[in-house]
Structures are given as C-alpha cells and as structure tokens.
Amino acid sequence: MKIKTFKVEQWMNDYENDAVYNLGETCIDSMTLGELIELSGQNPEKYLAALKDKRMTYSHIYGSPELLNGISGLYRDILPSHVIPAHGAVGANHQVIISMIEPKDNMVSVMPTYQQHYSIPESIGAEVRILQLTPEKRFLPDLDLLRSLVDENTKMITINNPDNPTGSWIPEDVMMEIVEIARSVNAYILSDEVYRGISEDGSYMVSIADLYEKGISVGSMSKIFSLAGLRMGWIASRSQEVIDACRKRRDYDTISCGVLDDLFASLALANKEKIFERNSKILLKNRAILDQWVNETPEVSYIKPVAGTTALVYYKKDMPSYELCIKLLKDKGVLFTPGSCFEMEGCVRIGYAFDSKTLREGLDKFTELLREI
C-alpha cells in the first residue's frame, strides 16, 4: 500500500528543532507532570513516589473505568461503552478510516484539514471528493456543494471541527444540516474534534456524537489538555457497527494503550474544569495578541479564528509558502507551517497557544521579514 508523504508532520519533523520562536506548535502550553498532579490537589513528590509500585503490565485492554468515564463526560449522550481509547488522535483517525472504508466506497473530506482524512482513504483505493473551505464563507462548509458531492456510494463525510488550520467552528444549526445530508445517503460523519472543548464564551461545544446516530468523534489529550506526551486519544460513537469494527481492527494495531498514559489521562479528565480554566486564559489572551498584530500589519490578513489553537494567515508577497517559511526560519528563527502542507498557497499556519512573549516576538520577526522582502 502506497501513501503520500504526510506534509505537515514531515515539515515539523524536519524543522521544529531549529526554531527559536516555535509558532508551529499547536498544543496549548504543555504541562509538566508536576503541574498536572498539583492541579489535581495532590503532592507531586508523594504521588510520583507511590508510582514505583505500579506494575508495568498491559493496561485495561479497552481502557480503565476511570478513563472511559472521564472521556464519556466530555459528551452529552456518550456512555463509557461508546468509547475506544487509541494511540493519540492520529491512531483514532487511522483506526476509523481503515476499519470502515473500502476501495468501492467514496468519501467526502473538507480541505484544508489534517491530511489523514484524505490520504489514508486514497491509499486504500477509495474515491475522495474534496469539499473546499474558503475564506469567503469563513471556512465553513458550503452545504450546496456538499449535497452535490454525496451519492449512494458515499460511505463517510469527514470534517475537522474546530478546523485545523483555520480555527473555524461549525455552528450547531449548520452541523444539523450536514447530518441531514449524511442521513440522506446513509453515510457516517467522522469529526476530528481534537481542538474541541474550550469555547470563547465558556459554553458547551456540541459534538457530532451528540447530534447523529452515525456520528464518530475523535478526540485526544494533546491539544486542549496540554498533554501531547501521553499519546492518548479516543473514538466515541453511538454506532455499534463502528465500535465493533474498530475493536476488531484494534487487536491488530493497538491491543491496549499504555498503563501510565491511561493513569495520567484519567487524572486530567477528572480535573478537566481546572485545566480548561488554565488553558482558556492562555487561548483568549494570545488570540487577542494575534488579532491585534493582524490588524496592525497591512502585509497580512486572515479570518479570525473562533476556536482551536491555530490560524491561517495570508501574506501579501509573491513567494511560495514553503520558500517563505524556510527563509523565515533561517533569517529570523521563526517556525510557521507552510500553507502548502494543507494544499493551499499564499498563507501560513500559525499556532498561538503557548507563552505570550514567544508569540509577540515571533510575530514581530515575521513583520520584519515581510518588510525586508
């Protein structure tokens, strides 16, 4: 099976360690284990000392009760039995697509999005139909276009909500229209929701798993929980067909997740409100810094992100995005992600959810480069 190079991951692998100002990072400012344990109200030294007696056997094959209860609590209508832990969201997305899609199928994927959603089904031999998101529609799906793309052989529609890289968020009324389109052809909806959970106003962010009986939500501890090092993700769905198919496949590529990943993810989920309070402050502060910079910099423009941790910023220079990002890294020490990693040009993805000083200085360095070109 041949598969295309994963452009965004290869870019980060090649260049992330060279950055002085890493604005390619998409996780909210990562926590240490000590911070997580303190946040849970426990003494880190005592807690970690007690772990010396933790036996390094397989964890619960389908996830511990604490983990499954914690994940199901992120949804309205998901039970612990509707949850399958995975090795990060990357493992969850792969497991869903490889379990549910066959060469005879077609599927619809939004673009831009995480490359798994179109390159994995292409590698299987399925037909992938692209639903292009545009700034003119604020990077929300064009429902008329979606209706024209589906037919009786459409097995799945995949969305990224909140969207990576644009930071758009599909409102519930639009989501319900997408559900009706999927239902009309009996298609699943796979929603990559790794950036879901922290809204601008603190309200609940509805999931596809809440809205649709054939909805499949993928989440992880990486982005909004600031715990990418745990490599813990999950699949959540009320569809028993999905649960059965993914568990069957899981015996071949997962077996179980790590016992320590499960333990610390359960601890974080039990204290999610404290983590969300911490991370909401970081997000809102830095989103305001990014917005002020865009408004004060005539060389750039964007559709302001309303969710997630990333923004797609357009620049007014006649230079390919890959070339621009290489020059920015070499000349200024700033890492962005080229728009070409998302099959787009004239733009870059900026991650803004870490320390504010790095963000401000990195954006200023980008302004310097744009004015030097």
Side-chain angles (χ1 to χ4, degrees):
M1 181 179 74
K2 294 183 179 179
I3 193 166
K4 293 178 181 177
T5 298
F6 204 145
K7 293 180 181 179
V8 67
E9 296 300 343
Q10 194 60 56
W11 168 264
M12 297 299 286
N13 291 344
D14 289 345
Y15 296 110
E16 187 171 21
N17 292 332
D18 299 331
V20 178
Y21 307 95
N22 185 353
L23 277 67
E25 175 60 69
T26 62
C27 302
I28 302 176
D29 201 17
S30 296
M31 288 192 290
T32 66
L33 280 179
E35 286 177 294
L36 172 61
I37 297 165
E38 282 183 356
L39 186 143
S40 73
Q42 302 187 59
N43 180 285
E45 287 73 23
K46 290 182 179 178
Y47 185 95
L48 292 171
L51 284 181
K52 72 181 187 328
D53 295 323
K54 190 73 173 177
R55 192 172 296 277
M56 290 291 98
T57 183
Y58 286 102
S59 182
H60 294 267
I61 297 302
Y62 293 134
S64 69
E66 294 80 10
L67 178 70
L68 299 180
N69 283 322
I71 293 171
S72 66
L74 300 172
Y75 302 88
R76 285 177 177 159
D77 298 313
I78 290 294
L79 302 175
S81 59
H82 296 149
V83 175
I84 300 177
H87 293 155
V90 71
N93 281 325
H94 181 270
Q95 199 168 100
V96 170
I97 295 170
I98 206 76
S99 300
M100 304 303 297
I101 299 299
E102 300 179 40
K104 64 181 176 61
D105 299 324
N106 72 62
M107 63 180 294
V108 177
S109 173
V110 297
M111 176 87 74
T113 188
Y114 202 51
Q115 190 177 333
Q116 281 188 299
H117 294 292
Y118 50 93
S119 288
I120 294 177
E122 283 177 347
S123 73
I124 295 169
E127 177 191 358
V128 179
R129 301 172 180 180
I130 296 301
L131 177 60
Q132 188 69 45
L133 307 178
T134 65
E136 291 77 19
K137 288 189 174 293
R138 306 192 70 79
F139 296 111
L140 298 176
D142 183 323
L143 298 176
D144 289 333
L145 177 56
L146 177 57
R147 289 187 186 95
S148 74
L149 291 173
V150 301
D151 59 30
E152 65 277 5
N153 291 322
T154 301
K155 187 70 172 289
M156 185 177 290
I157 298 167
T158 73
I159 57 177
N160 193 187
N161 197 35
D163 184 64
N164 169 24
T166 68
S168 65
W169 169 251
I170 305 173
E172 185 172 347
D173 60 335
V174 178
M175 286 288 290
M176 287 309 304
E177 293 197 57
I178 295 173
V179 166
E180 289 308 314
I181 293 170
R183 192 177 277 137
S184 72
V185 294
N186 199 32
Y188 293 95
I189 300 177
L190 169 60
S191 183
D192 187 330
E193 297 175 347
V194 297
Y195 296 96
R196 168 185 168 263
I198 300 178
S199 62
E200 284 198 306
D201 62 2
S203 61
Y204 177 78
M205 299 177 75
V206 70
S207 166
I208 192 62
D210 298 322
L211 301 177
Y212 184 34
E213 65 276 6
K214 298 188 74 170
I216 308 164
S217 169
V218 162
S220 87
M221 301 303 297
S222 296
K223 309 301 181 182
I224 64 165
F225 281 95
S226 304
L227 295 167
L230 292 186
R231 307 312 306 135
M232 177 64 77
W234 60 83
I235 302 159
S237 180
R238 288 180 284 149
S239 168
Q240 194 59 47
E241 184 178 4
V242 170
I243 297 300
D244 290 345
C246 290
R247 280 185 172 172
K248 183 176 180 180
R249 172 72 61 172
R250 195 173 181 270
D251 289 340
Y252 284 93
D253 59 27
T254 306
I255 302 177
S256 70
C257 294
V259 64
L260 293 180
D261 295 337
D262 187 307
L263 177 70
F264 288 119
S266 299
L267 183 65
L269 288 160
N271 293 276
K272 63 179 181 292
E273 299 304 333
K274 294 178 182 178
I275 295 176
F276 288 176
E277 181 181 3
R278 167 198 187 263
N279 288 355
S280 179
K281 292 176 182 177
I282 295 170
L283 274 180
L284 295 179
K285 178 181 179 180
N286 286 2
R287 199 174 288 159
I289 291 171
L290 176 65
D291 192 55
Q292 180 180 3
W293 172 77
V294 170
N295 291 330
E296 293 175 351
T297 308
E299 294 88 353
V300 301
S301 64
Y302 79 158
I303 300 298
K304 184 180 178 181
V306 297
T309 68
T310 63
L312 193 66
V313 175
Y314 288 82
Y315 56 87
K316 300 172 185 177
K317 298 293 178 181
D318 185 18
M319 180 181 288
S321 59
Y322 193 92
E323 181 181 337
L324 177 74
C325 286
I326 290 291
K327 184 172 180 61
L328 179 63
L329 184 61
K330 290 184 176 179
D331 292 1
K332 304 294 182 179
V334 178
L335 182 75
F336 289 163
T337 305
S340 60
C341 289
F342 298 92
E343 316 300 338
M344 302 181 77
E345 271 303 346
C347 55
V348 294
R349 185 188 73 179
I350 295 177
Y352 57 84
F354 35 87
D355 70 281
S356 300
K357 182 175 182 292
T358 298
L359 177 63
R360 285 194 184 95
E361 292 179 359
L363 292 173
D364 288 343
K365 292 290 183 181
F366 185 39
T367 303
E368 288 178 12
L369 182 76
L370 290 172
R371 293 175 180 172
E372 290 169 5
I373 296 175

